[in-house]
Amino acid sequence: MTTLGLHAEGSVAHRRSGHFQIVLLTGICLSLAFGVLAFGAVQEWSVFILRTASVILFLMWASAQLVNGAVRIRQTPVYLPALVFAGLILVQMVFGFSAYRHDTLVYLLDYACYGLVAFVTIQSLRNSDTANFLASGISGFGLLVSVFALLQFFTFNGKLYWFIPVATPAAVFGPYVNHNHYAGLMEMLIPFPLVFALENAVALSTRIFYGLSAVVMAVSFLYSRSRGGIVTLICQLVLLAVIGRFTRMKRGAAVILLLLIIATSGLVAILGGGEIVSRVSTLREPERADVAGWRMQVNRDSLAMVRSKPLLGWGLGTFSTVYPQFRSFYDDALVNEAHDDYMQMLVETGLIGA
């Protein structure tokens, strides 16, 4: 009886733990969804909410560990480079390597909150059920956002969400004032439904859901008309095919991938993809100001910034502060970012950070 009682008690505790992991993952999904819907969480009020949510999620996880009487931390190779990067930023601040310590501190706080969310997510992904739950949540959210983005695109009245005025003329798409930012979101979300749609163990109904999500998200991705995003999507598909080749992707998965590509192409053609094709064709003239000429000038200036401080960089988050003294061309536009994440990381954290 004692053994059976202990076994039953352990089973109940295991179920409670599983339910709590689902609660944490739900909180994570809701927080990330809020960040997307709040115009990318770039305004002070939305940044504050996201930071607060990350701390609450971590405290919830920590409280559960205390209640269980033992702290169990799931190990992953992700932790080491993240901690080393955090150490580099602290060195920039403490030893005066940052050109503007306040901006570096603000960005460090953001990275700390990202780290908390990533940590809690990793600790919550204990089995295939939680992984499937997270993939379903991300896929469902991506599907809803992409449907909204397409509806807004075809019925656009010059306002975000149809009623929020945009201060300056912008290529609004989805919940973002810049179509490239929407493409950046989709390039992170599409792999979730795409990969799970190719899994052999997934039930047919679930596979259809993942496949539909991937197709609609890809169509909205293409209609965002982000040239860099379209190139990225092609690269993702090529990479997936290469990985499938080396991991001996089963014939059924390869057929599904091909059908998804055909379905995406068909939907784009039905909705009228001439503008997308003409947009991509401008990549043949990268020096044009409306293609990449302006960004290439910023990149050349950024290289000069890297040469000036190659190892530790100018300090995380200080690009907009330092760039004016390296700017080599006149334009009335404010250059507050490098418009190239890799280049900006080189500028702000040097070769070590990059």
Side-chain angles (χ1 to χ4, degrees):
M1 290 294 292
T2 303
T3 304
L4 290 174
L6 290 173
H7 179 72
E9 185 178 343
S11 178
V12 171
H14 180 74
R15 286 198 300 272
R16 287 177 179 172
S17 176
H19 292 157
F20 185 70
Q21 289 166 10
I22 295 298
V23 170
L24 282 178
L25 288 175
T26 301
I28 290 166
C29 289
L30 291 175
S31 300
L32 296 179
F34 165 79
V36 171
L37 298 176
F39 325 121
V42 294
Q43 296 173 310
E44 286 79 3
W45 64 273
S46 54
V47 172
F48 170 77
I49 291 175
L50 273 186
R51 287 178 178 172
T52 304
S54 68
V55 173
I56 291 174
L57 287 168
F58 176 76
L59 291 177
M60 288 174 61
W61 172 84
S63 299
Q65 302 303 302
L66 292 176
V67 170
N68 292 332
V71 178
R72 297 184 178 88
I73 298 178
R74 184 182 181 188
Q75 299 299 321
T76 171
V78 171
Y79 294 150
L80 180 59
L83 291 173
V84 172
F85 184 80
L88 169 64
I89 307 309
L90 288 174
V91 167
Q92 287 182 332
M93 293 180 57
V94 173
F95 295 98
F97 291 109
S98 173
Y100 190 22
R101 186 176 298 178
H102 174 266
D103 279 353
T104 300
L105 175 61
V106 170
Y107 274 72
L108 181 61
L109 287 175
D110 287 337
Y111 272 79
C113 293
Y114 302 154
L116 289 178
V117 173
F119 176 81
V120 175
T121 303
I122 291 170
Q123 299 310 310
S124 302
L125 292 174
R126 294 282 180 173
N127 50 51
S128 59
D129 290 338
T130 52
N132 288 331
F133 178 84
L134 182 62
S136 298
I138 291 175
S139 300
F141 174 70
L143 175 61
L144 292 175
V145 170
S146 56
V147 169
F148 154 69
L150 288 170
L151 287 174
Q152 182 178 248
F153 174 76
F154 287 112
T155 62
F156 191 54
N157 63 352
K159 296 180 180 180
L160 195 61
Y161 288 111
W162 295 291
F163 65 90
I164 300 176
V166 180
T168 57
V172 171
F173 203 88
Y176 294 93
V177 296
N178 189 303
H179 63 147
N180 293 311
H181 299 167
Y182 178 83
L185 168 72
M186 283 296 130
E187 75 178 59
M188 292 187 289
L189 295 187
I190 288 177
F192 283 89
L194 185 58
V195 170
F196 274 79
L198 303 179
E199 284 288 329
N200 297 313
V202 175
L204 178 60
S205 57
T206 307
R207 191 191 297 274
I208 292 173
F209 163 71
Y210 283 132
L212 176 65
S213 299
V215 168
V216 176
M217 290 162 69
V219 170
S220 70
F221 192 131
L222 295 173
Y223 266 93
S224 72
R225 296 164 298 161
S226 170
R227 286 168 294 223
I230 292 171
V231 171
T232 300
L233 178 61
I234 294 172
C235 291
Q236 285 183 334
L237 292 174
V238 171
L239 178 62
L240 182 60
V242 171
I243 292 175
R245 173 66 177 171
F246 282 101
T247 57
R248 296 182 180 180
M249 180 188 294
K250 292 189 176 181
R251 183 175 299 176
V255 170
I256 291 171
L257 178 60
L258 181 61
L259 289 175
L260 292 178
I261 294 174
I262 293 173
T264 301
S265 304
L267 273 175
V268 170
I270 292 170
L271 294 174
E275 187 178 352
I276 298 173
V277 174
S278 62
R279 176 90 173 164
V280 175
S281 66
T282 60
L283 287 173
R284 293 177 296 185
E285 304 172 79
E287 291 288 348
R288 276 174 45 179
D290 62 335
V291 181
W294 186 78
R295 294 186 182 95
M296 291 172 72
Q297 288 180 298
V298 174
N299 276 342
R300 283 191 285 267
D301 295 342
S302 299
L303 283 174
M305 298 170 70
V306 174
R307 286 193 293 268
S308 181
K309 288 192 174 184
L311 292 181
L312 294 176
W314 289 89
L316 185 68
T318 62
F319 182 89
S320 60
T321 301
V322 179
Y323 180 73
Q325 61 186 291
F326 289 89
R327 189 166 180 166
S328 62
F329 65 99
Y330 173 78
D331 195 297
D332 58 357
L334 173 66
V335 181
N336 60 347
E337 306 288 350
H339 296 279
D340 182 327
D341 290 341
Y342 305 105
M343 181 63 72
Q344 185 152 334
M345 194 60 66
L346 273 170
V347 170
E348 296 182 348
T349 64
L351 293 170
I352 295 176

